[in-house]
Amino acid sequence: MVEESKYKEARKRMVEHLSRLGISGEVLAAMMRVKRHLFVPSERSDQAYGDYPIPIGEGQTISAPHMVAMMCDYLELKRGEKLLEIGAGSGYHAAVIAELIGEEGHIYTIERIQWLVEFSMKNLKRAGYKNVTVTYGDGTLGLPEHAPYDKISVTCAAPDVPPPYIEQLKIGGKMAIPIGRYMQKLYLVEKKNGIEKKSKCDVIFVPLIGLHGFGYYE
Ligand code: SAM
């Protein structure tokens, strides 16, 4: 009980910090509801509400809260939407999205490291999310069996937009994707008659590795 209120206070401070960065009220409320300490390795739970990335094993990280919040804001998530996330990692970003799309929406998230598939599934189950499906595989291929998606959220940096993502995005759909190897930018891509690609900010993400990503041995 004391533990829970300690985390709640830390979460409140994190959300207050994010509100000063101009994050929308809907996203702030969703981040207040997600218990981030359930998504980091137990020995790091005291760092769970700091605004920085945290190692989650296998050389991967859970993104900093401000980055999760900004990507959710750029995508303008609505209740009932169907999403694809690339890079399940800890499952935290998917949980925030799950809060924003509600129980009537669904998020499919794909992860290439088996251990992280199990870690994210365990975390999402413990935190009580039923509208998230974690799949093992090469996320550069997307997930055609559930396409088309209203939105796509890519949480690792690609060399360019993988063609399957364009095919699997609905007309009118939006995608947030970091692009670049050492110098990366976060892009908001909109599929209209053609493809509109707007650069939003400089970012640092781990690489997207796979057929339409960076090579396996870089
Ligand atoms: N969204 C995660 C979270 O909330 O913890 C953080 C994701 S971490 C920054 C990026 C993830 O992308 C890593 O877990 C990495 O293994 C994964 N990844 C990299 N290439 C991938 C691919 N081709 N398919 C699926 N996942 C991939």
Side-chain angles (χ1 to χ4, degrees), residues 60-61 85 87-88 90 93 111-113 138-139 155-156 206 209:
Q60 306 303 319
T61 52
E85 180 190 48
S90 67
H93 197 150
E111 174 55 58
R112 65 176 283 271
I113 298 175
D138 177 2
T155 70
C156 31
V206 296
I209 295 172

Side-chain angles (χ1 to χ4, degrees), residues 6 16-17 20 28 37-38 51 59 63 73 75 79 84 93 102 117 128 146-147 149 162 184 198 201 209 213:
K6 176 182 90 175
E16 280 163 7
H17 157 74
R20 289 192 286 275
L28 294 177
H37 60 277
L38 299 183
D51 192 13
S63 305
D73 260 347
L75 287 175
R79 295 189 83 76
L84 174 65
H93 197 150
V117 170
H146 300 291
Y149 300 97
Q184 304 171 0
K198 283 190 200 133
C201 55
I209 295 172

Side-chain angles (χ1 to χ4, degrees), residues 1-140:
M1 218 47 199
V2 175
E3 277 297 282
E4 276 305 311
S5 73
K6 176 182 90 175
Y7 290 129
K8 197 169 175 187
E9 275 308 306
R11 193 155 63 247
K12 218 168 132 195
R13 282 196 297 277
M14 175 190 85
V15 166
E16 280 163 7
H17 157 74
L18 295 175
S19 77
R20 289 192 286 275
L21 304 182
I23 301 301
S24 71
E26 289 85 354
V27 171
L28 294 177
M31 292 182 77
M32 191 60 214
R33 292 194 293 272
V34 182
K35 296 176 175 172
R36 196 169 191 259
H37 60 277
L38 299 183
F39 292 87
V40 300
S42 53
E43 67 276 14
R44 293 186 183 270
S45 50
D46 281 350
Q47 299 165 26
Y49 296 99
D51 192 13
Y52 40 76
I54 297 175
I56 52 174
E58 305 280 339
Q60 306 303 319
T61 52
I62 174 174
S63 305
H66 73 270
M67 190 46 61
V68 173
M70 283 165 61
M71 287 176 76
C72 288
D73 260 347
Y74 290 142
L75 287 175
E76 297 181 293
L77 301 172
K78 296 186 185 61
R79 295 189 83 76
E81 286 187 331
K82 181 166 63 167
L83 264 94
L84 174 65
E85 180 190 48
I86 316 299
S90 67
Y92 174 75
H93 197 150
V96 175
I97 291 173
E99 287 283 348
L100 287 158
I101 59 177
E103 282 174 7
E104 60 273 46
H106 202 94
I107 166 159
Y108 296 91
T109 178
I110 182 157
E111 174 55 58
R112 65 176 283 271
I113 298 175
Q114 181 64 46
W115 187 85
L116 290 173
V117 170
E118 283 153 30
F119 183 61
S120 56
M121 282 170 96
K122 185 192 80 184
N123 297 341
L124 287 158
K125 189 171 176 203
R126 192 158 62 125
Y129 290 95
K130 296 199 174 77
N131 55 346
V132 185
T133 305
V134 184
T135 305
Y136 169 73
D138 177 2
T140 70

